[in-house]
């Protein structure tokens, strides 16, 4: 039964990546998940959640204020 439950992967990242980068990301993640948990690629779903640089902080500093 556990093999029939589809893996759903959520990727959270700051906005600004190109469509090409997102396409490559979902292709690579799908491949890795398929190999790791032996799931058919057609059963794997990926959700990309983008956030602005004022909705993420690390070590008490907004991403917007971090040095690049």
């Amino acid at each position: 039964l556990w093999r029939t439950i589809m893996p759903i992967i959520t990727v959270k990242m700051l906005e600004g990546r190109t469509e090409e980068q997102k396409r490559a990301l979902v292709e690579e993640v799908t491949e890795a998940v398929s190999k790791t948990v032996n799931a058919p690629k057609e059963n794997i779903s990926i959700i990309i959640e983008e956030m602005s640089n004022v909705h993420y902080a690390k070590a008490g500093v907004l991403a917007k204020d971090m040095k690049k």
Side-chain angles (χ1 to χ4, degrees):
L1 174 67
W2 63 270
R3 288 181 185 233
T4 62
I5 299 172
M6 62 185 151
I8 302 171
I9 294 44
T10 302
V11 177
K12 295 184 178 195
M13 61 187 181
L14 293 175
E15 60 190 5
R17 273 45 175 234
T18 66
E19 187 174 323
E20 293 79 21
Q21 289 172 316
K22 293 174 195 174
R23 187 173 287 111
L25 174 68
V26 299
E27 288 173 1
E28 294 289 333
V29 170
T30 299
E31 185 66 33
V33 172
S34 178
K35 286 181 182 178
T36 304
V37 301
N38 196 28
K41 291 179 184 179
E42 58 272 8
N43 288 359
I44 299 169
S45 298
I46 300 175
I47 300 166
I48 298 175
E49 294 182 1
E50 293 183 294
M51 62 192 105
S52 76
N53 61 4
V54 296
H55 293 155
Y56 176 80
K58 184 173 182 180
V61 179
L62 286 174
K64 178 180 181 179
D65 300 329
M66 292 179 187
K67 294 183 179 182
K68 297 182 181 190

